[in-house]
Amino acid sequence: MNTVRLSMPVFFIVVSLGYAFLIMRLPTANLGDPYGPFYFPLFICIGLFIFSVVDFIQLKRSEPEENEELQLLLDPKLLKIIGVILALCVMYTAIFEIVGFLIATVLFLGALLFYLNGRTKWVLNLVVTAIFSFSAWYIFTQLLDISLP
Protein backbone atom coordinates (compact mmCIF):
# COMPACT_ATOMS: atom_id res chain seq x y z
CA MET A 1 0.00 0.00 0.00
CA ASN A 2 2.96 2.31 0.61
CA THR A 3 3.89 2.18 -3.09
CA VAL A 4 0.43 3.46 -3.98
CA ARG A 5 0.87 6.31 -1.51
CA LEU A 6 4.35 7.06 -2.90
CA SER A 7 2.99 7.29 -6.42
CA MET A 8 1.17 10.57 -5.69
CA PRO A 9 4.24 12.70 -4.90
CA VAL A 10 6.09 11.09 -7.80
CA PHE A 11 3.17 11.94 -10.09
CA PHE A 12 3.18 15.56 -8.94
CA ILE A 13 6.95 15.82 -9.33
CA VAL A 14 6.57 14.72 -12.95
CA VAL A 15 3.63 17.12 -13.44
CA SER A 16 5.64 20.03 -12.02
CA LEU A 17 8.56 19.26 -14.33
CA GLY A 18 6.21 19.11 -17.33
CA TYR A 19 4.59 22.34 -16.18
CA ALA A 20 8.04 23.96 -15.95
CA PHE A 21 8.78 22.86 -19.51
CA LEU A 22 5.53 24.43 -20.73
CA ILE A 23 6.23 27.64 -18.78
CA MET A 24 9.55 28.02 -20.54
CA ARG A 25 7.71 27.90 -23.86
CA LEU A 26 5.51 30.90 -22.98
CA PRO A 27 6.11 33.93 -25.19
CA THR A 28 7.64 37.01 -23.61
CA ALA A 29 5.41 40.03 -23.09
CA ASN A 30 5.59 42.92 -25.55
CA LEU A 31 4.70 45.55 -22.94
CA GLY A 32 6.24 45.99 -19.52
CA ASP A 33 8.40 43.26 -18.08
CA PRO A 34 9.07 40.74 -20.87
CA TYR A 35 9.21 37.90 -18.35
CA GLY A 36 6.07 38.96 -16.47
CA PRO A 37 3.96 36.05 -17.76
CA PHE A 38 6.51 33.61 -16.29
CA TYR A 39 6.48 34.68 -12.64
CA PHE A 40 3.17 33.39 -11.29
CA PRO A 41 3.13 30.03 -13.12
CA LEU A 42 6.78 29.47 -12.22
CA PHE A 43 6.02 30.24 -8.56
CA ILE A 44 3.21 27.65 -8.61
CA CYS A 45 5.47 25.13 -10.35
CA ILE A 46 8.31 25.55 -7.86
CA GLY A 47 5.89 25.25 -4.93
CA LEU A 48 4.35 22.08 -6.36
CA PHE A 49 7.80 20.58 -6.92
CA ILE A 50 9.09 21.45 -3.42
CA PHE A 51 5.99 20.19 -1.61
CA SER A 52 5.98 16.98 -3.65
CA VAL A 53 9.65 16.29 -2.91
CA VAL A 54 9.10 16.98 0.81
CA ASP A 55 6.05 14.69 0.84
CA PHE A 56 8.02 11.96 -0.94
CA ILE A 57 10.90 12.20 1.55
CA GLN A 58 8.52 12.12 4.53
CA LEU A 59 6.76 9.06 3.16
CA LYS A 60 10.04 7.25 2.53
CA ARG A 61 11.15 7.89 6.13
CA SER A 62 7.88 6.85 7.73
CA GLU A 63 6.88 3.31 8.42
CA PRO A 64 4.25 1.83 6.14
CA GLU A 65 0.89 1.92 7.82
CA GLU A 66 -2.60 0.98 6.86
CA ASN A 67 -4.30 4.07 5.51
CA GLU A 68 -8.09 3.90 5.76
CA GLU A 69 -8.59 6.92 3.50
CA LEU A 70 -6.48 5.33 0.78
CA GLN A 71 -8.44 2.09 1.15
CA LEU A 72 -11.66 4.06 0.63
CA LEU A 73 -10.20 5.72 -2.45
CA LEU A 74 -9.44 2.33 -4.01
CA ASP A 75 -13.03 1.14 -3.53
CA PRO A 76 -14.45 0.16 -6.96
CA LYS A 77 -17.71 2.05 -6.29
CA LEU A 78 -15.81 5.27 -5.59
CA LEU A 79 -13.53 4.74 -8.59
CA LYS A 80 -16.65 4.45 -10.76
CA ILE A 81 -17.98 7.76 -9.39
CA ILE A 82 -14.63 9.44 -10.06
CA GLY A 83 -14.55 8.01 -13.59
CA VAL A 84 -18.06 9.21 -14.39
CA ILE A 85 -17.32 12.71 -13.07
CA LEU A 86 -14.11 12.87 -15.12
CA ALA A 87 -16.00 11.74 -18.22
CA LEU A 88 -18.65 14.42 -17.62
CA CYS A 89 -15.91 17.06 -17.25
CA VAL A 90 -14.30 15.96 -20.52
CA MET A 91 -17.66 16.09 -22.30
CA TYR A 92 -18.32 19.55 -20.81
CA THR A 93 -15.05 20.89 -22.17
CA ALA A 94 -15.69 19.24 -25.53
CA ILE A 95 -19.13 20.81 -26.03
CA PHE A 96 -18.43 24.15 -24.34
CA GLU A 97 -17.22 25.95 -27.48
CA ILE A 98 -19.82 24.28 -29.70
CA VAL A 99 -23.04 24.93 -27.78
CA GLY A 100 -21.90 27.77 -25.52
CA PHE A 101 -21.60 28.37 -21.81
CA LEU A 102 -25.25 28.30 -20.82
CA ILE A 103 -26.31 25.11 -22.58
CA ALA A 104 -23.08 23.26 -21.76
CA THR A 105 -23.36 24.22 -18.10
CA VAL A 106 -27.01 23.18 -17.88
CA LEU A 107 -26.24 19.80 -19.48
CA PHE A 108 -23.12 19.21 -17.37
CA LEU A 109 -24.57 20.26 -14.04
CA GLY A 110 -27.86 18.48 -14.69
CA ALA A 111 -26.11 15.23 -15.61
CA LEU A 112 -23.78 15.51 -12.63
CA LEU A 113 -26.57 16.16 -10.13
CA PHE A 114 -28.78 13.41 -11.53
CA TYR A 115 -25.87 10.99 -11.32
CA LEU A 116 -24.93 11.93 -7.76
CA ASN A 117 -28.40 12.59 -6.27
CA GLY A 118 -30.42 10.12 -8.31
CA ARG A 119 -33.79 10.54 -9.98
CA THR A 120 -35.73 10.75 -6.75
CA LYS A 121 -34.50 14.30 -6.14
CA TRP A 122 -35.30 15.47 -9.66
CA VAL A 123 -36.94 18.72 -8.55
CA LEU A 124 -33.92 19.74 -6.49
CA ASN A 125 -31.57 18.75 -9.32
CA LEU A 126 -33.46 20.86 -11.87
CA VAL A 127 -33.82 23.87 -9.56
CA VAL A 128 -30.13 23.90 -8.62
CA THR A 129 -29.09 23.43 -12.25
CA ALA A 130 -31.30 26.24 -13.50
CA ILE A 131 -30.52 28.71 -10.72
CA PHE A 132 -26.75 28.16 -10.82
CA SER A 133 -26.44 28.14 -14.61
CA PHE A 134 -28.52 31.24 -15.21
CA SER A 135 -27.03 33.09 -12.23
CA ALA A 136 -23.48 32.40 -13.42
CA TRP A 137 -24.41 33.43 -16.97
CA TYR A 138 -26.06 36.64 -15.73
CA ILE A 139 -23.16 37.55 -13.45
CA PHE A 140 -20.55 37.05 -16.17
CA THR A 141 -22.40 38.56 -19.13
CA GLN A 142 -24.47 41.31 -17.57
CA LEU A 143 -22.77 42.41 -14.36
CA LEU A 144 -19.11 41.79 -15.22
CA ASP A 145 -19.54 42.34 -18.96
CA ILE A 146 -17.49 39.25 -19.82
CA SER A 147 -18.26 37.66 -23.16
CA LEU A 148 -18.99 33.95 -22.93
CA PRO A 149 -19.13 31.52 -25.85
Side-chain angles (χ1 to χ4, degrees):
M1 188 58 66
N2 201 24
T3 56
V4 174
R5 180 64 178 99
L6 282 174
S7 66
M8 290 307 292
V10 170
F11 171 75
F12 284 111
I13 289 170
V14 171
V15 166
S16 68
L17 293 174
Y19 192 45
F21 174 74
L22 293 174
I23 291 169
M24 294 305 143
R25 296 178 47 125
L26 284 173
T28 57
N30 293 333
L31 298 172
D33 184 5
Y35 296 102
F38 293 88
Y39 297 142
F40 182 72
L42 195 58
F43 176 74
I44 298 295
C45 178
I46 291 169
L48 179 63
F49 182 78
I50 290 171
F51 287 124
S52 299
V53 168
V54 168
D55 189 29
F56 182 80
I57 291 170
Q58 285 178 344
L59 286 173
K60 285 298 272 186
R61 288 184 180 170
S62 68
E63 296 179 22
E65 60 186 43
E66 198 64 30
N67 192 340
E68 293 177 21
E69 294 165 350
L70 192 56
Q71 289 287 2
L72 289 174
L73 183 62
L74 297 176
D75 179 33
K77 185 178 178 182
L78 185 61
L79 289 175
K80 179 185 174 197
I81 293 172
I82 292 170
V84 169
I85 292 173
L86 284 174
L88 287 172
C89 290
V90 168
M91 288 189 299
Y92 178 67
T93 57
I95 66 170
F96 188 85
E97 286 288 330
I98 299 168
V99 299
F101 172 82
L102 190 57
I103 295 173
T105 304
V106 167
L107 292 174
F108 168 72
L109 195 55
L112 182 66
L113 289 175
F114 273 97
Y115 179 71
L116 294 176
N117 292 338
R119 294 181 189 163
T120 57
K121 297 183 179 179
W122 66 273
V123 174
L124 177 67
N125 295 340
L126 291 177
V127 168
V128 169
T129 298
I131 289 174
F132 176 81
S133 300
F134 287 103
S135 297
W137 173 82
Y138 181 78
I139 289 169
F140 281 115
T141 60
Q142 304 302 314
L143 299 179
L144 298 175
D145 200 27
I146 296 174
S147 176
L148 296 173

